[in-house]
Amino acid sequence: MTFQTSLRAALLGLAAMAAAPAAMADQLADVKAAGKIVTATDMHYAPFDMLTNGTYEGMTKDLFDEVSKEIGAEPVYQDIPWTAELPGLEVKKFDIVIAPVTITPERLERYTFTLPIADATVALVKSANSDMKEPKDIAGKTVGVQQGTAQFRALEAFGKELGGVTIKEYGTTDEAYADLATGRLDAVAGSLPNLTYLVKNRPESFAMFEPANFGPPTYFAWVLRKGDDSASFATAINDALLKMTDDGRVKAIQEKWLGAYTELPREVPTN
């Protein structure tokens, strides 16, 4: 064997060793080996995620409890500010973001989404004594929305169509609702199920616009890192959600928290 042949063989061996960990990476296997799924969510997003007397509950928890059982690992729930969730996912601080994240074309390029878990169509809520009726009535008004969300972008675009809306951003929707209740805002934009839940539980303070929603239909889902290593994990979650849809668990959980059942796509929307 010549020196050049030996060098070539050594380099090929090193290349194979370097490639091996990437080829062997499998997030589902890692999760099962650890026996836990480390999650991130914002526990201030009723009815999906809430802290009630210090106890985490909501539609997201009920759904993910069942998904975790199907996968065979214990969920670890963490309360993380929304703006830190996707960046934290990218640097592997947790396995998955289970805060309801709106599926958008831009996010699809950067992350792996699970099947939808709920409707996310953008809507508007007002104070109970407001004389505004239709979404277009927010023209020239001050509207609150959670920062860094798809709802913010939808509101921004809708405001431009109307000729101008003053948008005030908040760290949580609870903060926006509080300002709406005290008259500091004219309306709040958010997803339809969140606002429906708010009005159902606080009709003395809030009311929906008629119609409440604006913009195209959108969906909430959970988010994983992009890449081949997350593919098996995403498949396991989607298989669990489909099984739960077919056996009625998804319907029961939706009706418990939203008061009604909405049939969801059985594939991840691509636009």
Side-chain angles (χ1 to χ4, degrees):
M1 181 181 290
T2 66
F3 173 76
Q4 286 185 332
T5 303
S6 299
L7 180 60
R8 187 181 304 113
L11 290 173
L12 288 172
L14 288 171
M17 289 174 63
M24 293 171 59
D26 185 331
Q27 193 178 9
L28 178 62
D30 292 343
V31 160
K32 289 190 172 185
K36 62 182 180 180
I37 305 172
V38 181
T39 76
T41 191
D42 178 355
M43 298 180 184
H44 307 273
Y45 201 64
F48 295 97
D49 303 274
M50 297 173 286
L51 281 175
T52 303
N53 297 321
T55 300
Y56 174 46
E57 64 177 13
M59 182 173 156
T60 298
K61 183 179 184 299
D62 284 1
L63 285 172
F64 205 76
D65 277 351
E66 294 299 315
V67 167
S68 298
K69 289 177 187 176
E70 293 294 330
I71 291 175
E74 289 293 322
V76 177
Y77 296 116
Q78 298 184 111
D79 187 11
I80 306 291
W82 159 243
T83 52
E85 290 176 20
L86 295 180
L89 178 70
E90 292 185 17
V91 297
K92 301 186 178 182
K93 287 188 175 181
F94 20 82
D95 298 312
I96 183 172
V97 170
I98 60 168
V101 181
T102 305
I103 301 172
T104 66
E106 297 79 13
R107 287 174 178 163
L108 283 166
E109 292 180 2
R110 190 164 183 171
Y111 304 102
T112 294
F113 278 83
T114 67
L115 291 174
I117 62 161
D119 181 11
T121 302
V122 186
L124 289 163
V125 67
K126 60 185 179 178
S127 63
N129 59 7
S130 172
D131 59 1
M132 291 188 291
K133 294 181 174 62
E134 301 176 69
K136 67 180 182 180
D137 294 338
I138 65 170
K141 305 292 187 181
T142 301
V143 183
V145 67
Q146 188 175 17
Q147 64 185 7
T149 61
Q151 288 74 34
F152 166 79
R153 291 192 293 274
L155 175 62
E156 188 176 44
F158 186 53
K160 289 179 180 177
E161 290 179 19
L162 297 176
V165 170
T166 300
I167 299 176
K168 188 173 181 181
E169 298 179 69
Y170 292 84
T172 70
T173 54
D174 287 345
E175 294 169 330
Y177 301 153
D179 272 5
L180 178 60
T182 56
R184 296 188 183 93
L185 294 173
D186 297 301
V188 170
S191 72
L192 185 59
N194 296 83
L195 301 185
T196 300
Y197 179 86
L198 174 71
V199 172
K200 176 185 175 183
N201 286 276
R202 299 178 64 184
E204 73 286 352
S205 299
F206 304 108
M208 302 294 285
F209 283 68
E210 293 293 340
N213 58 300
F214 62 93
T218 54
Y219 296 96
F220 282 135
W222 299 326
V223 184
L224 296 88
R225 288 181 287 276
K226 196 88 167 176
D228 293 340
D229 65 325
S230 68
S232 60
F233 191 29
T235 297
I237 293 170
N238 290 341
D239 288 347
L241 286 171
L242 290 174
K243 180 180 179 181
M244 290 161 55
T245 298
D246 294 339
D247 67 21
R249 278 179 285 175
V250 168
K251 182 175 185 291
I253 291 170
Q254 278 196 23
E255 289 178 342
K256 173 184 175 180
W257 292 105
L258 304 179
Y261 172 63
T262 299
E263 187 173 350
L264 300 170
R266 295 177 69 91
E267 295 182 352
V268 178
T270 57
N271 51 44

